[in-house]
Short mmCIF file of all heavy atoms in Angstrom, two decimals:
data_model
loop_
_atom_site.label_atom_id
_atom_site.label_comp_id
_atom_site.label_asym_id
_atom_site.label_seq_id
_atom_site.Cartn_x
_atom_site.Cartn_y
_atom_site.Cartn_z
N MET E 1 -93.17 52.56 48.18
CA MET E 1 -92.90 53.61 47.21
C MET E 1 -92.21 53.05 45.99
O MET E 1 -91.40 52.12 46.10
CB MET E 1 -92.03 54.69 47.88
CG MET E 1 -91.71 55.85 46.99
SD MET E 1 -90.94 57.13 47.97
CE MET E 1 -90.97 58.37 46.74
N LEU E 2 -92.52 53.59 44.86
CA LEU E 2 -92.00 53.07 43.58
C LEU E 2 -90.52 53.45 43.48
O LEU E 2 -90.19 54.63 43.53
CB LEU E 2 -92.81 53.59 42.40
CG LEU E 2 -92.37 53.12 41.06
CD1 LEU E 2 -92.55 51.58 40.94
CD2 LEU E 2 -93.17 53.80 39.97
N ASP E 3 -89.70 52.46 43.30
CA ASP E 3 -88.28 52.68 43.15
C ASP E 3 -87.97 52.80 41.67
O ASP E 3 -88.39 51.96 40.89
CB ASP E 3 -87.51 51.53 43.81
CG ASP E 3 -86.04 51.79 43.94
OD1 ASP E 3 -85.68 53.00 43.83
OD2 ASP E 3 -85.29 50.87 44.22
N VAL E 4 -87.17 53.78 41.33
CA VAL E 4 -86.84 54.04 39.91
C VAL E 4 -85.97 52.91 39.35
O VAL E 4 -86.08 52.57 38.15
CB VAL E 4 -86.15 55.40 39.76
CG1 VAL E 4 -85.74 55.68 38.33
CG2 VAL E 4 -87.04 56.51 40.25
N SER E 5 -85.15 52.31 40.21
CA SER E 5 -84.32 51.24 39.74
C SER E 5 -85.10 50.04 39.24
O SER E 5 -84.67 49.34 38.32
CB SER E 5 -83.35 50.80 40.83
OG SER E 5 -84.01 50.20 41.88
N LEU E 6 -86.30 49.83 39.84
CA LEU E 6 -87.15 48.77 39.36
C LEU E 6 -87.63 49.01 37.90
O LEU E 6 -87.70 48.08 37.12
CB LEU E 6 -88.34 48.53 40.27
CG LEU E 6 -89.31 47.41 39.90
CD1 LEU E 6 -88.56 46.09 40.09
CD2 LEU E 6 -90.50 47.45 40.77
N LEU E 7 -87.93 50.25 37.61
CA LEU E 7 -88.32 50.59 36.24
C LEU E 7 -87.18 50.35 35.29
O LEU E 7 -87.38 49.89 34.18
CB LEU E 7 -88.81 52.06 36.17
CG LEU E 7 -90.06 52.38 36.94
CD1 LEU E 7 -90.33 53.89 36.86
CD2 LEU E 7 -91.23 51.61 36.34
N PHE E 8 -86.00 50.69 35.71
CA PHE E 8 -84.80 50.45 34.85
C PHE E 8 -84.53 48.99 34.66
O PHE E 8 -84.12 48.52 33.58
CB PHE E 8 -83.56 51.13 35.42
CG PHE E 8 -83.58 52.61 35.22
CD1 PHE E 8 -83.32 53.46 36.31
CD2 PHE E 8 -83.82 53.18 33.99
CE1 PHE E 8 -83.32 54.83 36.15
CE2 PHE E 8 -83.85 54.57 33.80
CZ PHE E 8 -83.57 55.41 34.89
N LYS E 9 -84.79 48.18 35.69
CA LYS E 9 -84.65 46.72 35.56
C LYS E 9 -85.63 46.19 34.61
O LYS E 9 -85.32 45.29 33.77
CB LYS E 9 -84.84 46.05 36.93
CG LYS E 9 -83.66 46.18 37.88
CD LYS E 9 -83.97 45.53 39.22
CE LYS E 9 -82.95 45.82 40.21
NZ LYS E 9 -83.25 45.18 41.52
N ILE E 10 -86.87 46.62 34.66
CA ILE E 10 -87.90 46.11 33.73
C ILE E 10 -87.57 46.53 32.33
O ILE E 10 -87.65 45.76 31.35
CB ILE E 10 -89.27 46.62 34.14
CG1 ILE E 10 -89.72 45.93 35.46
CG2 ILE E 10 -90.34 46.36 33.09
CD1 ILE E 10 -90.97 46.45 36.09
N GLY E 11 -87.19 47.79 32.17
CA GLY E 11 -86.76 48.29 30.81
C GLY E 11 -85.57 47.57 30.27
O GLY E 11 -85.52 47.23 29.10
N GLY E 12 -84.56 47.34 31.12
CA GLY E 12 -83.40 46.63 30.68
C GLY E 12 -83.70 45.16 30.31
O GLY E 12 -83.13 44.63 29.30
N ALA E 13 -84.60 44.54 31.08
CA ALA E 13 -84.94 43.17 30.70
C ALA E 13 -85.70 43.12 29.40
O ALA E 13 -85.48 42.25 28.59
CB ALA E 13 -85.84 42.58 31.86
N GLY E 14 -86.55 44.12 29.14
CA GLY E 14 -87.28 44.21 27.91
C GLY E 14 -86.35 44.38 26.72
O GLY E 14 -86.48 43.70 25.68
N ILE E 15 -85.38 45.24 26.87
CA ILE E 15 -84.38 45.50 25.78
C ILE E 15 -83.54 44.22 25.53
O ILE E 15 -83.30 43.82 24.38
CB ILE E 15 -83.46 46.69 26.12
CG1 ILE E 15 -84.30 47.98 26.10
CG2 ILE E 15 -82.30 46.77 25.18
CD1 ILE E 15 -83.59 49.19 26.58
N LEU E 16 -83.15 43.55 26.62
CA LEU E 16 -82.40 42.32 26.47
C LEU E 16 -83.19 41.23 25.77
O LEU E 16 -82.68 40.52 24.90
CB LEU E 16 -81.91 41.86 27.84
CG LEU E 16 -80.99 40.65 27.88
CD1 LEU E 16 -79.67 41.01 27.20
CD2 LEU E 16 -80.72 40.23 29.34
N ILE E 17 -84.45 41.16 26.10
CA ILE E 17 -85.33 40.14 25.47
C ILE E 17 -85.47 40.43 23.99
O ILE E 17 -85.42 39.50 23.16
CB ILE E 17 -86.67 40.10 26.20
CG1 ILE E 17 -86.53 39.50 27.58
CG2 ILE E 17 -87.69 39.31 25.39
CD1 ILE E 17 -87.77 39.69 28.45
N ILE E 18 -85.63 41.72 23.65
CA ILE E 18 -85.74 42.07 22.20
C ILE E 18 -84.49 41.74 21.45
O ILE E 18 -84.56 41.17 20.32
CB ILE E 18 -86.10 43.55 22.08
CG1 ILE E 18 -87.47 43.84 22.56
CG2 ILE E 18 -85.89 44.06 20.68
CD1 ILE E 18 -87.80 45.31 22.68
N ILE E 19 -83.34 42.00 22.05
CA ILE E 19 -82.06 41.67 21.35
C ILE E 19 -81.91 40.15 21.18
O ILE E 19 -81.56 39.70 20.10
CB ILE E 19 -80.86 42.27 22.19
CG1 ILE E 19 -80.90 43.77 22.08
CG2 ILE E 19 -79.54 41.72 21.68
CD1 ILE E 19 -79.91 44.47 23.02
N ILE E 20 -82.20 39.40 22.21
CA ILE E 20 -82.09 37.95 22.08
C ILE E 20 -83.09 37.40 21.07
O ILE E 20 -82.78 36.50 20.29
CB ILE E 20 -82.30 37.31 23.48
CG1 ILE E 20 -81.12 37.64 24.39
CG2 ILE E 20 -82.42 35.78 23.36
CD1 ILE E 20 -81.31 37.18 25.83
N ASP E 21 -84.31 37.98 21.05
CA ASP E 21 -85.30 37.60 20.06
C ASP E 21 -84.83 37.83 18.66
O ASP E 21 -84.95 36.96 17.80
CB ASP E 21 -86.61 38.34 20.34
CG ASP E 21 -87.68 38.03 19.31
OD1 ASP E 21 -87.95 36.82 19.10
OD2 ASP E 21 -88.24 38.95 18.69
N LYS E 22 -84.26 38.99 18.39
CA LYS E 22 -83.79 39.30 17.04
C LYS E 22 -82.67 38.39 16.61
O LYS E 22 -82.59 37.93 15.48
CB LYS E 22 -83.34 40.76 16.94
CG LYS E 22 -84.44 41.76 17.14
CD LYS E 22 -85.48 41.64 16.03
CE LYS E 22 -86.65 42.61 16.30
NZ LYS E 22 -87.73 42.39 15.35
N ILE E 23 -81.77 38.11 17.54
CA ILE E 23 -80.63 37.21 17.23
C ILE E 23 -81.15 35.79 16.91
O ILE E 23 -80.69 35.18 15.91
CB ILE E 23 -79.62 37.20 18.39
CG1 ILE E 23 -78.91 38.53 18.50
CG2 ILE E 23 -78.59 36.08 18.21
CD1 ILE E 23 -78.03 38.70 19.73
N LEU E 24 -82.03 35.29 17.76
CA LEU E 24 -82.54 33.92 17.54
C LEU E 24 -83.43 33.85 16.26
O LEU E 24 -83.40 32.83 15.55
CB LEU E 24 -83.30 33.44 18.76
CG LEU E 24 -82.43 33.12 19.97
CD1 LEU E 24 -83.31 32.88 21.16
CD2 LEU E 24 -81.48 32.02 19.70
N THR E 25 -84.19 34.90 15.99
CA THR E 25 -85.06 34.87 14.82
C THR E 25 -84.23 34.90 13.56
O THR E 25 -84.52 34.18 12.61
CB THR E 25 -86.06 36.06 14.83
OG1 THR E 25 -86.77 35.95 16.07
CG2 THR E 25 -87.00 35.99 13.67
N THR E 26 -83.22 35.74 13.51
CA THR E 26 -82.39 35.80 12.29
C THR E 26 -81.56 34.55 12.06
O THR E 26 -81.19 34.27 10.97
CB THR E 26 -81.48 37.02 12.35
OG1 THR E 26 -80.67 37.01 13.51
CG2 THR E 26 -82.27 38.29 12.26
N SER E 27 -81.25 33.82 13.13
CA SER E 27 -80.50 32.56 12.99
C SER E 27 -81.41 31.39 12.68
O SER E 27 -80.93 30.25 12.56
CB SER E 27 -79.65 32.33 14.21
OG SER E 27 -80.48 32.04 15.31
N GLY E 28 -82.74 31.63 12.59
CA GLY E 28 -83.65 30.58 12.20
C GLY E 28 -84.20 29.72 13.36
O GLY E 28 -84.71 28.67 13.13
N LYS E 29 -84.04 30.21 14.54
CA LYS E 29 -84.51 29.47 15.71
C LYS E 29 -85.70 30.21 16.31
O LYS E 29 -85.68 30.66 17.45
CB LYS E 29 -83.38 29.25 16.69
CG LYS E 29 -82.21 28.56 16.16
CD LYS E 29 -81.14 28.39 17.18
CE LYS E 29 -79.96 27.62 16.54
NZ LYS E 29 -78.89 27.43 17.49
N SER E 30 -86.76 30.29 15.56
CA SER E 30 -87.94 31.06 16.04
C SER E 30 -88.65 30.40 17.21
O SER E 30 -89.25 31.07 18.02
CB SER E 30 -88.88 31.30 14.91
OG SER E 30 -89.39 30.04 14.41
N GLU E 31 -88.55 29.08 17.30
CA GLU E 31 -89.22 28.40 18.43
C GLU E 31 -88.49 28.77 19.73
O GLU E 31 -89.14 29.02 20.77
CB GLU E 31 -89.17 26.86 18.27
CG GLU E 31 -90.02 26.35 17.11
CD GLU E 31 -89.22 26.33 15.82
OE1 GLU E 31 -87.99 26.51 15.86
OE2 GLU E 31 -89.84 26.14 14.76
N LEU E 32 -87.16 28.78 19.70
CA LEU E 32 -86.40 29.15 20.85
C LEU E 32 -86.60 30.60 21.22
O LEU E 32 -86.63 30.99 22.42
CB LEU E 32 -84.96 28.84 20.65
CG LEU E 32 -84.02 28.89 21.86
CD1 LEU E 32 -84.49 27.93 22.96
CD2 LEU E 32 -82.58 28.56 21.46
N ALA E 33 -86.79 31.46 20.19
CA ALA E 33 -87.06 32.86 20.40
C ALA E 33 -88.41 33.05 21.12
O ALA E 33 -88.56 33.90 21.96
CB ALA E 33 -87.04 33.64 19.09
N THR E 34 -89.41 32.25 20.73
CA THR E 34 -90.68 32.36 21.37
C THR E 34 -90.62 31.92 22.85
O THR E 34 -91.21 32.56 23.71
CB THR E 34 -91.69 31.46 20.65
OG1 THR E 34 -91.76 31.83 19.27
CG2 THR E 34 -93.09 31.56 21.23
N ILE E 35 -89.88 30.85 23.12
CA ILE E 35 -89.72 30.39 24.54
C ILE E 35 -88.97 31.49 25.33
O ILE E 35 -89.34 31.75 26.46
CB ILE E 35 -88.95 29.07 24.56
CG1 ILE E 35 -89.84 27.97 23.94
CG2 ILE E 35 -88.55 28.72 25.97
CD1 ILE E 35 -89.15 26.65 23.75
N THR E 36 -88.00 32.12 24.71
CA THR E 36 -87.26 33.21 25.39
C THR E 36 -88.17 34.36 25.66
O THR E 36 -88.11 34.93 26.77
CB THR E 36 -86.10 33.67 24.50
OG1 THR E 36 -85.27 32.54 24.19
CG2 THR E 36 -85.25 34.70 25.25
N ASN E 37 -89.01 34.72 24.74
CA ASN E 37 -89.99 35.82 24.94
C ASN E 37 -90.93 35.51 26.07
O ASN E 37 -91.24 36.38 26.91
CB ASN E 37 -90.78 36.11 23.67
CG ASN E 37 -89.98 36.82 22.65
OD1 ASN E 37 -89.06 37.54 22.99
ND2 ASN E 37 -90.37 36.69 21.41
N LEU E 38 -91.45 34.30 26.14
CA LEU E 38 -92.38 33.89 27.19
C LEU E 38 -91.70 33.90 28.58
O LEU E 38 -92.27 34.31 29.59
CB LEU E 38 -92.99 32.56 26.87
CG LEU E 38 -93.97 32.51 25.73
CD1 LEU E 38 -94.41 31.09 25.47
CD2 LEU E 38 -95.16 33.39 25.99
N THR E 39 -90.42 33.46 28.60
CA THR E 39 -89.68 33.43 29.86
C THR E 39 -89.44 34.86 30.33
O THR E 39 -89.56 35.15 31.53
CB THR E 39 -88.32 32.66 29.63
OG1 THR E 39 -88.59 31.39 29.13
CG2 THR E 39 -87.60 32.63 30.97
N GLY E 40 -89.11 35.72 29.42
CA GLY E 40 -88.84 37.14 29.82
C GLY E 40 -90.13 37.78 30.27
O GLY E 40 -90.10 38.56 31.27
N LEU E 41 -91.22 37.50 29.63
CA LEU E 41 -92.50 38.01 30.07
C LEU E 41 -92.85 37.54 31.45
O LEU E 41 -93.34 38.31 32.28
CB LEU E 41 -93.61 37.63 29.06
CG LEU E 41 -95.03 38.10 29.36
CD1 LEU E 41 -95.13 39.63 29.25
CD2 LEU E 41 -96.00 37.40 28.43
N LEU E 42 -92.59 36.28 31.74
CA LEU E 42 -92.87 35.72 33.04
C LEU E 42 -92.04 36.41 34.11
O LEU E 42 -92.53 36.70 35.22
CB LEU E 42 -92.61 34.23 33.05
CG LEU E 42 -92.86 33.47 34.32
CD1 LEU E 42 -94.33 33.47 34.66
CD2 LEU E 42 -92.37 32.06 34.26
N ILE E 43 -90.76 36.66 33.83
CA ILE E 43 -89.89 37.31 34.78
C ILE E 43 -90.39 38.69 35.10
O ILE E 43 -90.43 39.15 36.22
CB ILE E 43 -88.44 37.33 34.26
CG1 ILE E 43 -87.87 35.91 34.29
CG2 ILE E 43 -87.55 38.23 35.10
CD1 ILE E 43 -86.52 35.73 33.59
N ILE E 44 -90.75 39.47 34.03
CA ILE E 44 -91.25 40.82 34.22
C ILE E 44 -92.58 40.82 34.98
O ILE E 44 -92.81 41.64 35.86
CB ILE E 44 -91.37 41.55 32.87
CG1 ILE E 44 -89.95 41.78 32.29
CG2 ILE E 44 -92.11 42.87 33.00
CD1 ILE E 44 -89.90 42.34 30.90
N LEU E 45 -93.44 39.83 34.67
CA LEU E 45 -94.71 39.74 35.42
C LEU E 45 -94.49 39.47 36.89
O LEU E 45 -95.18 39.97 37.77
CB LEU E 45 -95.59 38.70 34.79
CG LEU E 45 -96.34 39.08 33.56
CD1 LEU E 45 -97.09 37.87 33.00
CD2 LEU E 45 -97.33 40.22 33.85
N LEU E 46 -93.46 38.62 37.22
CA LEU E 46 -93.17 38.37 38.61
C LEU E 46 -92.68 39.62 39.31
O LEU E 46 -93.01 39.85 40.49
CB LEU E 46 -92.14 37.25 38.75
CG LEU E 46 -92.64 35.82 38.40
CD1 LEU E 46 -91.48 34.82 38.44
CD2 LEU E 46 -93.74 35.43 39.34
N MET E 47 -91.90 40.44 38.62
CA MET E 47 -91.51 41.73 39.19
C MET E 47 -92.71 42.65 39.51
O MET E 47 -92.79 43.26 40.58
CB MET E 47 -90.55 42.47 38.25
CG MET E 47 -89.16 41.91 38.11
SD MET E 47 -88.24 42.96 36.96
CE MET E 47 -86.82 41.94 36.72
N VAL E 48 -93.63 42.70 38.53
CA VAL E 48 -94.80 43.57 38.70
C VAL E 48 -95.70 42.98 39.81
O VAL E 48 -96.27 43.75 40.61
CB VAL E 48 -95.55 43.69 37.37
CG1 VAL E 48 -96.89 44.41 37.56
CG2 VAL E 48 -94.67 44.42 36.42
N ILE E 49 -95.88 41.67 39.90
CA ILE E 49 -96.70 41.06 40.93
C ILE E 49 -96.12 41.38 42.30
O ILE E 49 -96.86 41.64 43.25
CB ILE E 49 -96.85 39.57 40.69
CG1 ILE E 49 -97.78 39.32 39.50
CG2 ILE E 49 -97.40 38.85 41.92
CD1 ILE E 49 -97.86 37.89 39.02
N ASN E 50 -94.78 41.32 42.42
CA ASN E 50 -94.15 41.68 43.70
C ASN E 50 -94.43 43.09 44.07
O ASN E 50 -94.69 43.42 45.20
CB ASN E 50 -92.66 41.39 43.60
CG ASN E 50 -91.96 41.55 44.94
OD1 ASN E 50 -92.62 41.52 45.98
ND2 ASN E 50 -90.66 41.77 44.88
N LEU E 51 -94.41 43.98 43.09
CA LEU E 51 -94.68 45.41 43.34
C LEU E 51 -96.11 45.59 43.75
O LEU E 51 -96.38 46.40 44.68
CB LEU E 51 -94.37 46.22 42.05
CG LEU E 51 -94.38 47.73 42.17
CD1 LEU E 51 -93.29 48.19 43.15
CD2 LEU E 51 -94.19 48.35 40.82
N ILE E 52 -97.07 44.93 43.12
CA ILE E 52 -98.46 44.99 43.52
C ILE E 52 -98.70 44.44 44.93
O ILE E 52 -99.47 45.01 45.69
CB ILE E 52 -99.37 44.28 42.48
CG1 ILE E 52 -99.36 45.06 41.14
CG2 ILE E 52 -100.82 44.15 42.97
CD1 ILE E 52 -99.98 44.35 39.99
N ASN E 53 -97.99 43.39 45.26
CA ASN E 53 -98.05 42.83 46.61
C ASN E 53 -97.57 43.85 47.64
O ASN E 53 -98.22 44.03 48.69
CB ASN E 53 -97.23 41.56 46.68
CG ASN E 53 -97.38 40.91 48.03
OD1 ASN E 53 -98.34 41.13 48.77
ND2 ASN E 53 -96.38 40.08 48.39
N GLN E 54 -96.52 44.57 47.37
CA GLN E 54 -96.05 45.61 48.24
C GLN E 54 -97.03 46.75 48.39
O GLN E 54 -97.23 47.29 49.46
CB GLN E 54 -94.72 46.15 47.78
CG GLN E 54 -93.54 45.23 47.88
CD GLN E 54 -92.25 45.77 47.30
OE1 GLN E 54 -92.21 46.89 46.81
NE2 GLN E 54 -91.21 44.97 47.31
N LEU E 55 -97.70 47.09 47.28
CA LEU E 55 -98.75 48.14 47.34
C LEU E 55 -99.88 47.75 48.22
O LEU E 55 -100.30 48.50 49.11
CB LEU E 55 -99.27 48.39 45.92
CG LEU E 55 -100.47 49.32 45.83
CD1 LEU E 55 -100.08 50.75 46.16
CD2 LEU E 55 -101.11 49.23 44.47
N PHE E 56 -100.43 46.52 48.07
CA PHE E 56 -101.51 46.06 48.92
C PHE E 56 -101.09 45.94 50.38
O PHE E 56 -101.88 46.22 51.28
CB PHE E 56 -102.10 44.77 48.41
CG PHE E 56 -102.97 44.96 47.19
CD1 PHE E 56 -102.88 44.08 46.12
CD2 PHE E 56 -103.88 45.97 47.11
CE1 PHE E 56 -103.67 44.22 45.01
CE2 PHE E 56 -104.71 46.14 46.02
CZ PHE E 56 -104.60 45.25 44.96
N THR E 57 -99.89 45.53 50.65
CA THR E 57 -99.41 45.48 52.01
C THR E 57 -99.35 46.83 52.63
O THR E 57 -99.74 47.01 53.77
CB THR E 57 -97.99 44.77 52.03
OG1 THR E 57 -98.09 43.52 51.42
CG2 THR E 57 -97.53 44.66 53.51
N SER E 58 -98.84 47.82 51.90
CA SER E 58 -98.79 49.21 52.44
C SER E 58 -100.16 49.76 52.62
O SER E 58 -100.44 50.49 53.62
CB SER E 58 -97.91 50.08 51.57
OG SER E 58 -98.53 50.26 50.32
N LEU E 59 -101.09 49.48 51.72
CA LEU E 59 -102.46 49.95 51.88
C LEU E 59 -103.11 49.32 53.10
O LEU E 59 -103.90 49.96 53.86
CB LEU E 59 -103.28 49.67 50.65
CG LEU E 59 -103.05 50.57 49.46
CD1 LEU E 59 -103.84 50.11 48.23
CD2 LEU E 59 -103.37 51.99 49.77
N LYS E 60 -102.82 48.04 53.29
CA LYS E 60 -103.40 47.33 54.46
C LYS E 60 -102.92 47.90 55.73
O LYS E 60 -103.69 48.09 56.70
CB LYS E 60 -103.06 45.86 54.33
CG LYS E 60 -103.56 44.97 55.44
CD LYS E 60 -103.10 43.54 55.21
CE LYS E 60 -103.37 42.67 56.45
NZ LYS E 60 -102.85 41.33 56.26
N THR E 61 -101.63 48.21 55.83
CA THR E 61 -101.11 48.81 57.08
C THR E 61 -101.57 50.24 57.26
O THR E 61 -101.69 50.71 58.39
CB THR E 61 -99.57 48.74 57.10
OG1 THR E 61 -99.02 49.42 55.94
CG2 THR E 61 -99.09 47.31 57.11
N MET E 62 -101.78 50.95 56.17
CA MET E 62 -102.21 52.32 56.30
C MET E 62 -103.62 52.44 56.78
O MET E 62 -103.94 53.34 57.58
CB MET E 62 -102.07 53.03 54.94
CG MET E 62 -102.37 54.53 54.96
SD MET E 62 -102.01 55.48 53.50
CE MET E 62 -102.33 54.36 52.16
N PHE E 63 -104.51 51.56 56.34
CA PHE E 63 -105.92 51.68 56.71
C PHE E 63 -106.32 50.80 57.91
O PHE E 63 -107.46 50.75 58.31
CB PHE E 63 -106.83 51.37 55.52
CG PHE E 63 -106.78 52.43 54.48
CD1 PHE E 63 -106.29 52.16 53.22
CD2 PHE E 63 -107.29 53.71 54.72
CE1 PHE E 63 -106.24 53.15 52.25
CE2 PHE E 63 -107.24 54.69 53.78
CZ PHE E 63 -106.70 54.39 52.52
N MET E 64 -105.32 50.12 58.48
CA MET E 64 -105.63 49.27 59.65
C MET E 64 -105.66 50.15 60.89
O MET E 64 -104.76 50.95 61.12
CB MET E 64 -104.64 48.13 59.78
CG MET E 64 -104.99 47.11 60.82
SD MET E 64 -104.00 45.64 60.58
CE MET E 64 -105.02 44.78 59.47
N PHE E 65 -106.70 50.01 61.72
CA PHE E 65 -106.83 50.81 62.88
C PHE E 65 -106.50 50.04 64.15
O PHE E 65 -106.79 48.91 64.28
CB PHE E 65 -108.25 51.39 63.00
CG PHE E 65 -108.62 52.31 61.84
CD1 PHE E 65 -109.50 51.96 60.92
CD2 PHE E 65 -107.95 53.53 61.78
CE1 PHE E 65 -109.88 52.84 59.89
CE2 PHE E 65 -108.29 54.42 60.73
CZ PHE E 65 -109.19 54.05 59.80
#
């Protein structure tokens, strides 16, 4: 089942990434901002992949006879 706290974690991580990106971009470190964006994207993708894995596991147990 989808937990609401996971959505808040993903949203909070996105907001934090945006803030760090703006700070690094205004200070002239756009390369580091890009690396930070990619790292944040990877972390969020890992959260979503874990959620999809749980979905397939529950589907597998539900339809197994």
Side-chain angles (χ1 to χ4, degrees):
M1 183 170 188
L2 181 63
D3 192 15
V4 177
S5 67
L6 182 66
L7 293 175
F8 286 129
K9 286 179 187 178
I10 291 173
I15 291 171
L16 186 65
I17 290 167
I18 290 171
I19 291 171
I20 292 173
D21 177 53
K22 294 297 178 187
I23 291 171
L24 290 173
T25 303
T26 55
S27 66
K29 299 180 180 179
S30 62
E31 295 88 10
L32 192 58
T34 304
I35 292 172
T36 305
N37 285 334
L38 291 175
T39 304
L41 179 67
L42 181 67
I43 290 170
I44 292 173
L45 280 175
L46 287 174
M47 287 181 190
V48 172
I49 287 172
N50 188 20
L51 190 64
I52 292 171
N53 185 21
Q54 290 175 2
L55 172 71
F56 284 136
T57 303
S58 65
L59 286 174
K60 180 180 169 184
T61 58
M62 184 170 35
F63 289 115
M64 189 164 270
F65 296 113

